[in-house]
Amino acid sequence: MAETRRTYCGLCHPRCGLLFHIEDGRAVKVEGDPKHPISRGRICARGTLMIDHLYHPDRLNYPLKRTGERGEGKWERISWDQALDVVAQSLETLRKKYGPETLAFTHGTYRTYHWDGRRFFNLFGSPNMCGANNICMCPSQAVEYTTYGGFAWGDLKKTRCVVLWGSAPSKSNVILLFPAIQERKKAGMKMIVVDPRRTAEAEMADIWLQIRPGTDLALMLGWIRIIIKEGLFDRDFVEKWTVGFDQLRNAASEYTPEKVAAITWLEPNKVIESARFYAENKPAVISWGFGIDKQGLNASQSARARSILRAITGNLDVEGGELLGWSDPVGAIIDFVVMELNEALSKEQRSKQLGAAEYPFFGFPGWEMNLQANKRLPSHYMHPPKANMTSVAHGRAVMEAILTGKPYPVTAMISLASNPLLSLPNTRQTFEALKSLRLYVVSDYYLTPSAALADYVFPAASTVERDELWLSADFCIACPKGVEPLYERRDDYQFWRSLGLRLGQEEYWPWPTVKEAFDHRLAPVGLTFEGLLERNGLFGKRGFRRYEEFGFGTPSGKVEIYSSIFEKLGLRPLPAYQEPLETPENALVKRDYPLVLITGSRFMPMYHSEQRQIRFARKIVADPLVNLHPDVAKNLGLKEGEWVYVVSPRGRIRLKLHLSEAIHPQMADVQHGWWFPERKTSPSEPFGVFESNANILCPDEREFCSPEIGGWPHTALMCRIEKA
Ligand SMILES: Nc1nc2c(c(=O)[nH]1)N[C@H]1C(S)=C(S)[C@@H](COP(=O)(O)OP(=O)(O)OC[C@H]3O[C@@H](n4cnc5c(=O)[nH]c(N)nc54)[C@H](O)[C@@H]3O)O[C@H]1N2
Ligand SMILES: Nc1nc2c(c(=O)[nH]1)N[C@H]1C(S)=C(S)[C@@H](COP(=O)(O)OP(=O)(O)OC[C@H]3O[C@@H](n4cnc5c(=O)[nH]c(N)nc54)[C@H](O)[C@@H]3O)O[C@H]1N2
Ligand code: SF4
Ligand SMILES: [Mo]
């Protein structure tokens, strides 16, 4: 029997609509769903591989228990009940012995529900969830809540000018953002690109600034100085709605075009011209870009400076500008924050969060301050900040606690939808830490290098096998599963709930299925998951300049250019640029490592460390690449396609050389996420995880991290290239 079912792809963030053609119970063809309200029939190369992913022979189908050494690859199949029983028992034993804080979690990017995991951890009593949060979008969220009480979304549909700052959607957001930019550019939108590589976006731009990696904050402060000096700011808005403008004027005064040019490798007149261009083409949007968040030392203050630029130019919450708040009635849907059940975690347990003494802004203290300030706003207009995203333990502190038992023993860890050996920096330390856990539990689609070290591995249902509710500030859509979960795969909600039921959390998991939890969330708008699906999404209506009615969700109710929260926490209340340790400015470093290293620029069809086992994906990108300018290669006597080592002070990895004029001649651009599922696993090296893994090159030591959030660098480091 043949039929077509609506479902969705969640192999990256947008959740595009899919049509699954099913024959005799098996999906045989996938295409975009033209009726999907957001993606409207488009899917990307990764989405077209959904069927390969669903039926892939390497997929985990049953829970596994390790029988050999960690990493040796010896497993025994067991039932869900057996596996959950022993995991729960061991967690209970460890909790009794060391306290609930002995359990940690590693977080990846937004692939699954996440509120359920946070709920489990809050009820279990551990504050120690850590992961990519310190570097990916969450820092920008935390900082923007502190500056103007919410996270701003660029109104691309109506903007006159977009600044793509460290963002390359032609590779990272190919279905929604990039086509929208192309369309708007054709219609006359202006565009500035700030990127060390000549990307597809740079080629389309009116102004392209080929900046030295890691120096964006100096440029932002240079823009601020020019905008103030030339009176290009929005005087009315600044007077009525901001605090700290005069201090800002002072703080920015030293960033003259000449000084900025010397730091950034740009020409002084380009600094001036671009600042004017941004300020004079209103309304304007500065995109969020991971090129900023991944800079380490300056990352959090760059996010601050970006938010200040948006505010002083009068672009906040105007049509075509930087939108704040939720639309009506979408804002009334119960958000994750409520579902996270943060009130369940006691004050005492919160105070044990690892890393929060060093980075209080990104732990409970900072989150609580943002939460408090948010209370002045109605929640249907501005949801409170998510603890799940902006109050986390620091990865380094967690790994150190595992290895040293200090300040207390961390003996157990769960990794769900995350592959820490590939995504976190300082891979060797992560490896040693994972190996020395008493209990390591992983839930994944495949047996990754991290999973290879686990005691128990649980098989996760993929998006086409589970329902999801997808919520943004302006819409909410129901994403239905297309097939029942195959074999014994289960959705992540079932994982957390089943574990919670075994650990005394019965009364807090009243919804047997995730769909029922979604019904609960939708109740305030009078809908159910099925009802929402039937009406093909709920779309809100938004007003503009709503701060005139509500104010801003900050301690003063205004945009805090000078941050009172940062000041209270002993952090710089106004941004200032700092030269990182490892830069071409440091002659000693430069002698041995002459090239600036950036890692992780997105490429299709891979998503982080995924798709390495999908044959068709490996046909497109077979091997890990380092991109280099042809002149640099020539000087080194290296040719296209040759294997080379990329060496940083922390180690070396092997990659294939790809020559490209798009790369600045003083830098190297290394892909991230590489491991080799086709290889054997061994206790010393699961699936070749040390061979080409960019994070061998990336540090997490204190002096490399941002002092506000502890964000570590995946870019703006130094390296050299050698023949392999
Ligand atoms: N060097 C370098 N490192 C980086 C970056 C960089 O640019 N350079 N980027 C960083 C960034 S921004 C991020 S967000 C992180 C991403 O880091 P991660 O999110 O940890 O990404 P992955 O390494 O792909 O690991 C995700 C794992 O989750 C599994 N998975 C996918 N979906 C689900 C699901 O729904 N349920 C379950 N149970 N499992 C699932 C996948 O099979 C995969 O093994 O990496 C960071 N690391
Ligand atoms: N195909 C694919 N798409 C993805 C992902 C994936 O793994 N694969 N991951 C998803 C995730 S979790 C994220 S966070 C997003 C990230 O997506 P983007 O925000 O687009 O970030 P990146 O691709 O990491 O880097 C964007 C640009 O930053 C530039 N850059 C590097 N260092 C600097 C710097 O110091 N300053 C400036 N100005 N620019 C710099 C790089 O040259 C690159 O062109 O992508 C998402 N989309
Ligand atoms: S992988 Fe492609 S099809 Fe799937 S959600 Fe992302 S952009 Fe859409
Ligand atoms: Mo990310």
Side-chain angles (χ1 to χ4, degrees):
M1 212 188 67
E3 65 172 315
T4 301
R5 276 196 220 142
R6 292 180 67 184
T7 182
Y8 71 105
C9 174
L11 290 176
C12 80
H13 298 135
R15 271 61 173 176
C16 299
L18 300 181
L19 290 180
F20 248 19
H21 298 278
I22 313 239
E23 276 173 29
D24 300 324
R26 194 180 162 93
V28 290
K29 194 179 138 202
V30 62
E31 59 185 330
D33 174 3
K35 293 204 180 111
H36 191 272
I38 309 296
S39 56
R40 300 183 185 284
R42 290 181 306 233
I43 54 170
C44 76
R46 193 161 48 243
T48 61
L49 301 175
M50 184 53 92
I51 291 184
D52 302 51
H53 172 53
L54 180 63
Y55 299 111
H56 199 283
D58 290 356
R59 277 290 292 268
L60 290 164
N61 296 324
Y62 305 98
L64 299 175
K65 177 188 168 169
R66 181 169 58 80
T67 55
E69 239 184 286
R70 286 190 195 280
E72 197 183 352
K74 291 195 176 147
W75 303 93
E76 175 186 297
R77 177 179 157 186
I78 60 172
S79 74
W80 269 85
D81 277 341
Q82 275 175 310
L84 288 163
D85 285 345
V86 264
V87 168
Q89 254 163 35
S90 315
L91 285 176
E92 195 58 82
T93 310
L94 295 169
R95 171 159 70 177
K96 280 212 182 94
K97 185 148 182 213
Y98 301 108
E101 62 277 11
T102 199
L103 173 64
F105 177 77
T106 66
H107 223 296
T109 190
Y110 230 97
R111 290 193 179 81
T112 175
Y113 316 126
H114 294 294
W115 58 266
D116 48 354
R118 188 76 188 204
R119 191 178 181 94
F120 173 87
F121 264 71
N122 283 331
L123 291 165
F124 186 81
S126 173
N128 289 325
M129 304 187 94
C130 73
N133 310 49
N134 298 67
I135 50 142
C136 181
M137 198 174 262
C138 309
S140 297
Q141 289 226 8
V143 158
E144 289 182 38
Y145 265 88
T146 292
T147 309
Y148 38 65
F151 186 59
W153 292 101
D155 184 5
L156 213 61
K157 281 199 195 99
K158 291 281 170 68
T159 196
R160 261 190 79 193
C161 175
V162 67
V163 186
L164 291 180
W165 207 315
S167 150
S170 60
K171 301 290 185 295
S172 63
N173 197 328
V174 299
I175 293 299
L176 298 186
L177 189 53
F178 191 59
I181 287 175
Q182 283 175 308
E183 192 181 307
R184 294 282 297 129
K185 188 76 182 66
K186 261 195 218 141
M189 179 184 71
K190 308 269 191 260
M191 188 163 159
I192 303 177
V193 168
V194 190
D195 199 304
R197 304 183 309 154
R198 197 181 68 226
T199 55
E201 292 79 354
E203 285 182 357
M204 291 160 63
D206 300 282
I207 299 179
W208 168 42
L209 302 171
Q210 189 170 26
I211 195 164
R212 164 159 78 97
T215 65
D216 301 80
L217 179 52
L219 179 61
M220 289 177 186
L221 288 161
W223 276 21
I224 290 172
R225 181 184 166 277
I226 292 159
I227 288 168
I228 296 179
K229 188 162 169 276
E230 300 189 357
L232 301 174
F233 58 96
D234 184 329
R235 202 170 294 271
D236 285 349
F237 179 85
V238 165
E239 273 170 18
K240 212 164 157 200
W241 287 109
T242 68
V243 288
F245 187 72
D246 289 334
Q247 287 115 306
L248 176 70
R249 187 197 305 265
N250 269 340
S253 64
E254 64 181 275
Y255 295 89
T256 60
E258 294 68 31
K259 175 174 169 161
V260 171
I263 297 172
T264 56
W265 291 347
L266 300 170
E267 294 294 322
N269 61 359
K270 273 240 168 172
V271 176
I272 302 170
E273 178 204 4
S274 56
R276 289 180 185 153
F277 195 87
Y278 166 65
E280 284 171 350
N281 283 294
K282 280 200 258 193
V285 159
I286 309 181
S287 70
W288 174 83
F290 186 52
I292 301 296
D293 281 25
K294 67 167 134 186
Q295 292 187 7
L297 197 61
N298 287 302
S300 324
Q301 292 289 8
S302 302
R304 278 270 297 147
R306 182 181 54 205
S307 68
I308 290 169
L309 275 167
R310 291 167 172 167
I312 64 171
T313 49
N315 278 307
L316 283 186
D317 213 27
V318 297
E319 192 167 23
E322 315 275 6
L323 304 181
L324 282 171
W326 295 69
S327 62
D328 227 20
V330 174
I333 294 170
I334 296 178
D335 192 28
F336 303 112
V337 196
V338 179
M339 300 297 276
E340 285 174 353
L341 221 58
N342 292 302
E343 62 280 11
L345 193 68
S346 70
K347 215 170 158 197
E348 194 199 340
Q349 286 310 105
R350 284 184 184 193
S351 73
K352 294 179 187 162
Q353 190 175 40
L354 289 167
E358 198 174 355
Y359 307 111
F361 176 66
F362 212 55
F364 279 104
W367 176 77
E368 283 165 4
M369 288 163 112
N370 275 337
L371 191 70
Q372 186 56 35
N374 170 271
K375 289 199 172 127
R376 68 164 68 237
L377 306 177
S379 73
H380 68 85
Y381 160 58
M382 189 67 83
H383 286 180
K386 295 182 180 81
N388 166 33
M389 296 177 82
T390 60
S391 169
V392 292
H394 194 267
R396 175 192 354 108
V398 171
M399 298 306 160
E400 283 174 2
I402 296 172
L403 289 168
T404 65
K406 286 188 184 125
Y408 53 75
V410 170
T411 57
M413 184 179 271
I414 301 176
S415 293
L416 178 143
S418 109
N419 187 3
L421 277 182
L422 272 304
S423 56
L424 294 180
N426 199 350
T427 314
R428 297 264 176 200
Q429 169 154 310
T430 308
F431 180 68
E432 292 308 322
L434 297 184
K435 283 222 305 191
S436 54
L437 286 162
R438 296 269 284 279
L439 176 70
Y440 186 35
V441 175
V442 169
S443 158
D444 204 295
Y445 299 146
Y446 298 94
L447 199 71
T448 63
S450 306
L453 303 181
D455 300 286
Y456 294 90
V457 178
F458 289 86
S462 39
T463 58
V464 291
E465 304 167 272
R466 67 174 195 233
D467 298 316
E468 181 157 20
L469 187 72
W470 197 239
L471 189 62
S472 88
D474 285 332
F475 65 83
C476 179
I477 53 173
C479 307
K481 65 181 159 194
V483 292
E484 287 306 314
L486 301 179
Y487 307 94
E488 290 184 12
R489 302 175 194 167
R490 290 189 189 169
D491 69 52
D492 296 321
Y493 176 81
Q494 288 305 329
F495 172 84
W496 292 116
R497 181 174 187 271
S498 318
L499 212 49
L501 294 183
R502 286 167 168 80
L503 286 159
Q505 304 177 5
E506 295 85 348
E507 66 178 295
Y508 300 101
W509 297 95
W511 316 287
T513 63
V514 74
K515 208 192 231 177
E516 286 156 282
F518 295 153
D519 288 345
H520 165 73
R521 289 181 59 195
L522 289 167
V525 290
L527 282 170
T528 58
F529 184 82
E530 289 298 333
L532 181 65
L533 187 60
E534 221 159 275
R535 59 175 285 167
N536 208 14
L538 179 69
F539 291 83
K541 231 174 106 93
R542 86 161 32 245
F544 300 101
R545 297 185 204 271
R546 282 179 295 172
Y547 53 83
E548 289 177 352
E549 183 183 349
F550 300 119
F552 289 94
T554 60
S556 59
K558 295 190 174 182
V559 176
E560 298 207 350
I561 292 174
Y562 185 94
S563 170
S564 66
I565 290 183
F566 270 28
E567 186 174 44
K568 268 204 184 122
L569 292 171
L571 303 168
R572 275 179 212 255
L574 280 167
Y577 172 75
Q578 281 177 278
E579 185 66 31
L581 273 186
E582 203 172 292
T583 74
E585 296 293 301
N586 182 330
L588 264 182
V589 175
K590 199 178 171 187
R591 193 192 58 196
D592 294 333
Y593 305 98
L595 296 171
V596 176
L597 168 70
I598 72 171
T599 78
S601 305
R602 288 9 180 183
F603 60 99
M604 289 295 289
M606 305 317 193
Y607 199 70
H608 297 293
S609 71
E610 295 193 64
Q611 285 83 34
R612 299 307 189 281
Q613 56 287 96
I614 309 263
R615 204 161 42 107
F616 188 73
R618 289 293 285 278
K619 266 196 182 155
I620 301 174
V621 188
D623 301 303
L625 299 180
V626 49
N627 301 306
L628 209 60
H629 194 279
D631 294 347
V632 184
K634 205 168 149 203
N635 284 341
L636 292 167
L638 297 169
K639 286 194 284 304
E640 168 77 26
E642 228 177 308
W643 286 96
V644 296
Y645 290 122
V646 178
V647 191
S648 90
R650 286 151 296 275
R652 70 171 197 196
I653 57 172
R654 187 172 166 271
L655 304 120
K656 208 175 215 182
L657 189 61
H658 176 59
L659 303 183
S660 161
E661 306 236 330
I663 309 298
H664 194 289
Q666 294 184 57
M667 65 179 245
D669 171 36
V670 164
Q671 291 182 342
H672 81 303
W674 278 95
W675 61 291
F676 305 95
E678 65 274 21
R679 298 220 193 134
K680 281 220 165 73
T681 178
S682 78
S684 60
E685 186 174 8
F687 303 113
V689 74
F690 299 125
E691 188 168 313
S692 306
N693 181 348
N695 281 318
I696 298 267
L697 308 176
C698 301
D700 66 356
E701 286 84 1
R702 191 158 292 122
E703 57 272 24
F704 287 95
C705 296
S706 82
E708 299 78 18
I709 280 173
W712 45 80
H714 291 297
T715 189
L717 295 161
M718 300 293 286
C719 71
R720 68 167 178 267
I721 311 276
E722 293 170 358
K723 211 182 181 78

